[in-house]
Amino acid sequence: MVRGRPREEGIDDAVREAVRALLAETGYQRCTIDAVAARAGVGKAAVYRRWRSKAELVFTAVIHAADLAPPEDTGSLRGDVAAVLGVIESSLDGPELRRALPSLLADVRADPVLEARFGEVFLGRERGYLVQMLDRAVERGELSRRPDPALVHAMLLGPVLTWLHLFPEPPPSGGLAASLASPVYAAVVALGA
């Protein structure tokens, strides 16, 4: 086994793995850039070349990368809503995120520059992702107009985030995304009428 610094193409994976391990072991506050770099076997400069802050690094390691693949096209808005809810549920469910989310959100809210960057990089791209889904529904004639992407974003994200991170009960037996799909679909249709 070759030891030492990971090859260039393996740095991102090594860093994300180090973040997840440190969050599980020590929590968000003690998951520092120094600790991540040491755990991943890379220099701090390699980390800072890829991520501007600890919050951005943690977000990309446990929620999703800055770049998003296009949303699945299931052929119907109802199916697309269910698929997106499934993606949101899988990205927000996990022990590392449960330990990190309160402090991560506090860090983002406390720094206006970081908050603006998150709005641009993560929320902006998430809404762009939803615009693709909504525009397909308009093209198929399922919506008469594209509803406000921010409202749709809140309707999709809010219930999943609330259930996974605030409620003590486990998700419904049929699955959270499946349970939410019909009412969220109906709400999106009402907004796009």
Side-chain angles (χ1 to χ4, degrees):
M1 173 182 248
V2 176
R3 296 241 183 245
R5 296 175 86 166
R7 291 183 3 192
E8 190 69 25
E9 62 268 11
I11 290 175
D12 290 1
D13 291 337
V15 169
R16 283 191 290 266
E17 186 177 313
V19 168
R20 288 189 293 271
L22 287 167
L23 288 172
E25 293 168 14
T26 65
Y28 181 83
Q29 296 304 328
R30 296 180 67 196
C31 180
T32 64
I33 297 292
D34 287 339
V36 168
R39 180 76 169 247
V42 302
K44 281 182 9 180
V47 176
Y48 279 115
R49 274 195 301 274
R50 290 162 173 78
W51 298 279
R52 292 186 183 181
S53 67
K54 171 180 146 177
E56 188 173 327
L57 170 59
V58 169
F59 191 97
T60 61
V62 297
I63 301 178
H64 68 71
D67 294 323
L68 298 172
E72 180 181 356
D73 185 351
T74 67
S76 72
L77 179 59
R78 181 183 296 274
D80 291 354
V81 166
V84 169
L85 283 166
V87 168
I88 293 170
E89 180 179 7
S90 67
S91 69
L92 293 179
D93 195 16
E96 297 92 0
L97 186 59
R98 280 190 189 90
R99 292 196 68 184
L101 191 61
S103 296
L104 172 64
L105 293 176
D107 278 0
V108 170
R109 286 293 201 193
D111 181 345
V113 172
L114 184 57
E115 187 174 28
R117 170 117 174 110
F118 262 70
E120 172 192 329
V121 173
F122 296 110
L123 297 179
R125 291 188 182 156
E126 289 171 7
R127 289 192 185 146
Y129 175 94
L130 295 175
V131 164
Q132 293 176 57
M133 177 190 79
L134 296 169
D135 285 350
R136 284 194 312 242
V138 170
E139 289 170 14
R140 289 190 298 250
E142 296 173 285
L143 298 173
S144 60
R145 63 178 180 81
R146 181 196 321 144
D148 180 353
L151 284 174
V152 174
H153 195 194
M155 288 172 24
L156 290 162
L157 181 61
V160 176
L161 185 67
T162 300
W163 197 293
L164 294 177
H165 294 278
L166 294 177
F167 290 177
E169 301 91 4
S173 61
L176 183 57
S179 297
L180 291 171
S182 289
V184 172
Y185 163 76
V188 171
V189 168
L191 286 173

